[in-house]
Amino acid sequence: MRRVLVCEDSRVYAAALRTTLEYDGDIEVAAVCSTATEALAALPRIRPDLVTMNLELPGMDGLTAVEEIMNSTPLPILVLSSHVGTGSKKTAAALAAGALDAIAKDDLDLRDPASPAGAVFRRRVKMLSRARVIRHLRPAHKAGAGPSYNARRASVIGICVSTGGPQVLARLLAALPADYPIPILIVQHIGAGFTEGLAHWLDQTVRLPVAIARAGLRACPGAWIAPEGAHLKLATNGQLSLDRRTIVGHHRPSGDALLGSIATVAGRTGVAVVLTGMGADGAVGAVAVQGCGGLAIAQDEASSAVYGMPKVAADLGVEIVLPPAGIASCLLALRHEPFPVPR
């Protein structure tokens, strides 16, 4: 039995959410709180496995509540947001503060708890309720610890990240200077409608420029996030391409599609990073980068909210496994080398 605390100021929505969550009998809504203050006070008594959090609440807003929970008694948080697109910057901030996932309320149909969509939602809640949550990242590795990468040259960095990722992604990008010269291409699995808001929030939060990737743009300094519904790939001329047709695994955008293109185009100057997330996306692509002489890194288990994607990468042969602080140190140590020019 998984225990859920619902923080929602709409009684009608909260009642429908409770009915949907409890439909199979293996999830109990242990409390419904109409304010964030009430929810924070109830946590020590309820001790839920997961909190669903509406960000727009009377008094203390949901973002502040997420920050308070993750700083005091960290536990899995699922954001249910009314804001998508560019208006979802608050959702992105909540994910960066430690919330594991976000779902747009418009995408969550609570009218029929017995529907396939209802079953998928409950499976998602149960999976998230078992995830590891993190209060503090590990300190950086000491100089000289682990494999040597200080002399490496890199023309492009590809990052694949999923559940629990925005927080780690924000920390990594925040560690880089505004003039970091190596282009960073990112696949972030996130709920529909939130990618644009995440990019806007990161661009305002970190020193490095962050934007949604555009087809035809030459890979240049900054962080470029794959748009929703399109694979982000690196073309042989060093430009970015978007593929909205090809099916690669269960995701579009796909980390394997991105990292596979980096292996092909950049070869030994390519870098692949696989961060926290459920499933296996990015693992095969990271191994491909390593097989071409490039650098491949997987996040370690202790710092991963969900040790799925990086575990598969390590199991397949990715040799460097680091906490986020170690990954940031590695990226800072790389020396920029322009893309190989095709003959």
Side-chain angles (χ1 to χ4, degrees):
M1 181 72 71
R2 311 307 294 171
R3 291 168 57 82
V4 174
L5 184 150
V6 171
C7 190
E8 171 60 58
D9 61 329
S10 167
R11 291 185 179 182
V12 173
Y13 193 87
L17 185 59
R18 178 197 286 270
T19 300
T20 299
L21 286 170
E22 294 185 337
Y23 183 78
D24 294 327
D26 55 0
I27 297 175
E28 175 193 2
V29 175
V32 176
C33 301
S34 59
T35 68
T37 302
E38 181 185 349
L40 291 174
L43 286 179
R45 173 174 53 87
I46 300 300
R47 301 184 67 181
D49 298 299
L50 177 138
V51 171
T52 68
M53 180 67 68
N54 178 9
L55 296 184
E56 301 299 330
L57 295 166
M60 180 190 296
D61 66 6
L63 172 57
T64 302
V66 170
E67 293 170 342
E68 288 287 336
I69 292 170
M70 298 311 296
N71 282 331
S72 57
T73 54
L75 54 83
I77 301 173
L78 171 61
V79 170
L80 300 180
S81 176
S82 301
H83 300 288
V84 297
T86 55
S88 64
K89 287 183 285 186
K90 183 178 285 189
T91 303
L95 290 168
L100 283 181
D101 206 353
I103 299 176
K105 284 188 173 182
D106 288 346
D107 291 339
L108 185 57
D109 188 353
L110 302 178
R111 293 174 296 181
D112 183 8
S115 68
V120 169
F121 173 60
R122 288 188 291 276
R123 285 198 298 270
R124 191 170 181 177
V125 166
K126 285 183 282 190
M127 182 276 293
L128 292 173
S129 73
R130 295 182 175 91
R132 176 186 291 109
V133 290
I134 305 161
R135 179 183 292 148
H136 298 294
L137 297 175
R138 284 182 173 183
H141 272 18
K142 295 180 180 178
S148 174
Y149 42 70
N150 290 337
R152 279 192 173 270
R153 294 180 176 271
S155 61
V156 62
I157 298 166
I159 298 177
C160 180
V161 58
S162 184
T163 310
Q167 180 186 29
V168 179
L169 188 61
R171 297 284 181 94
L172 285 183
L173 296 182
L176 305 177
D179 59 352
Y180 188 72
I182 306 171
I184 301 173
L185 310 182
I186 299 168
V187 166
Q188 165 72 67
H189 302 156
I190 196 170
F194 297 121
T195 302
E196 194 172 349
L198 175 65
H200 278 274
W201 183 84
L202 286 171
D203 186 55
Q204 295 177 352
T205 303
V206 304
R207 292 169 292 177
L208 195 70
V210 182
I212 299 293
R214 304 189 307 273
L217 179 72
R218 182 165 181 80
C220 56
W224 306 94
I225 300 178
E228 292 181 13
H231 298 306
L232 172 60
K233 297 180 180 179
L234 181 65
T236 54
N237 59 3
Q239 292 184 345
L240 306 183
S241 69
L242 299 179
D243 177 356
R244 299 183 183 275
R245 297 183 177 181
T246 306
I247 297 175
V248 180
H250 301 289
H251 302 282
R252 188 163 63 208
S254 159
D256 281 329
L258 169 62
L259 300 182
S261 71
I262 288 176
T264 300
V265 175
R268 63 176 181 79
T269 64
V271 177
V273 180
V274 180
L275 300 176
T276 175
M278 181 177 62
D281 189 35
V284 171
V287 171
V289 169
Q290 183 173 280
C292 291
L295 177 66
I297 307 169
Q299 186 175 348
D300 71 344
E301 180 177 5
S303 66
S304 295
V306 179
Y307 193 52
M309 289 161 30
K311 180 182 187 302
V312 176
D315 289 346
L316 290 180
V318 168
E319 297 175 351
I320 300 178
V321 178
L322 295 171
I327 297 173
S329 296
C330 177
L331 299 186
L332 285 167
L334 296 172
R335 299 175 63 185
H336 182 225
E337 179 171 312
F339 286 106
V341 178
R343 296 180 179 178

